[in-house]
């Protein structure tokens, strides 16, 4: 992968589909994610995200994968993460299945891909991230972590998927907020970010808003976390 190669922006119709899809990622972070995905796609390996929700970010990975003749993979149980449950700030009652009384974002996600014309470029892996990661053995060019925001879930996503990145592959982490005031959205991803850097297996190559991009340089991503980085610090 040549670092100096220019990265084309998404086509207007892709940005339009991104903007129309339900989700929380702002445009500048979306553009940074797309650029990372296009760059990582040059390695010729699949692109994977953890945390599909309704497919807003999946559109960007799928577009990058389509341009490179690859497949984007997205992992989610589609029952919503902690902060999306009833009574919490990010809960959307329109995503609740009235028959079972639980969130189900899978139908919305499918509509998102259909409207964007990207269904055939995405494989949806429906289930719990650690269960799927335990069965996985395909090298990846990009891992985008944007799932649960508890230490338990963010750490499991990192430990389950980061080892599958090929050398030069990109680890992208969303909702990285160093300020403890943001504990409901970003302290666990922040600790994962610090752990990845402390492992010696990654170098940071970009930061946009709460999005961090790290390149795998070698070494073991599962090097034990320094004291204080792996322990929960309250909810999430």
């Amino acid at each position: 992968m040549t670092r100096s190669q220019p990265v084309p922006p998404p086509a207007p119709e892709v940005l339009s589909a991104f903007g129309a899809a339900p989700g929380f990622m702002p445009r500048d972070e979306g553009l940074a994610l797309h650029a990372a995905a296009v760059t990582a796609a040059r390695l010729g390996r699949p692109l994977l995200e953890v945390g599909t929700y309704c497919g807003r970010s999946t559109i960007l990975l799928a577009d990058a994968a389509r341009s490179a003749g690859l497949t984007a993979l997205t992992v989610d149980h589609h029952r919503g993460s902690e902060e999306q449950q009833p009574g919490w700030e990010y809960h959307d009652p329109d995503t609740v299945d009235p028959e079972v009384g639980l969130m189900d974002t899978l139908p919305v996600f499918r509509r998102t891909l259909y409207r964007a014309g990207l269904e055939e470029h995405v494989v949806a892996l429906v289930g719990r991230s650690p269960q799927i990661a335990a069965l996985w053995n395909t090298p990846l060019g990009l891992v985008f972590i944007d799932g649960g925001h508890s230490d338990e879930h963010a750490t499991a996503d990192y430990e389950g998927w980061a080892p599958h990145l090929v050398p030069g592959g990109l680890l992208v982490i969303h909702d990285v907020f160093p300020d403890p005031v943001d504990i409901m959205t970003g302290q666990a991803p922040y600790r994962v970010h610090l752990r990845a850097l402390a492992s010696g297996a990654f170098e940071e190559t970009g930061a946009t808003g709460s999005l961090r991009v790290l390149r795998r340089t070698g070494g073991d991503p599962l090097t034990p976390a320094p004291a204080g980085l792996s322990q929960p610090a309250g909810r999430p």
Side-chain angles (χ1 to χ4, degrees), residues 43-143:
L43 291 168
R45 300 292 187 176
L47 315 175
L48 181 141
E49 74 173 341
V50 182
T52 312
Y53 190 50
C54 297
R56 185 177 175 92
S57 56
T58 315
I59 288 172
L60 303 175
L61 298 187
D63 180 64
R66 172 177 60 181
S67 299
L70 301 173
T71 298
L73 306 141
T74 184
V75 179
D76 203 311
H77 50 67
H78 288 280
R79 294 300 190 195
S81 57
E82 300 89 340
E83 69 276 7
Q84 293 167 350
Q85 301 308 314
W88 293 93
E89 179 180 359
Y90 295 99
H91 178 63
D92 181 356
D94 291 338
T95 64
V96 175
D97 182 337
E99 182 174 343
V100 301
L102 299 173
M103 286 184 64
D104 185 2
T105 55
L106 184 57
V108 185
F109 162 68
R110 296 201 67 172
R111 288 195 293 271
T112 295
L113 286 189
Y114 174 77
R115 291 167 179 164
L118 292 167
E119 283 187 298
E120 64 186 82
H121 303 286
V122 177
V123 171
L125 302 169
V126 181
R128 301 279 172 179
S129 172
Q131 290 177 294
I132 297 172
L135 302 172
W136 196 260
N137 59 13
T138 300
L140 299 168
L142 178 140
V143 169

Side-chain angles (χ1 to χ4, degrees), residues 185-202:
T185 54
Q187 283 288 284
Y190 173 58
R191 284 187 282 274
V192 166
H193 170 248
L194 293 180
R195 178 178 177 181
L197 292 175
S199 74
F202 295 95

Side-chain angles (χ1 to χ4, degrees), residues 209-227:
S210 71
L211 193 83
R212 300 292 182 272
V213 180
L214 296 84
R215 177 178 288 108
R216 185 166 186 186
T217 56
D220 181 7
L222 302 186
T223 298

Side-chain angles (χ1 to χ4, degrees), residues 8-31:
E13 61 270 21
V14 174
L15 278 177
S16 177
F18 167 79
F24 311 104
M25 177 174 282
R27 181 186 174 98
D28 62 337
E29 294 178 1
L31 290 172

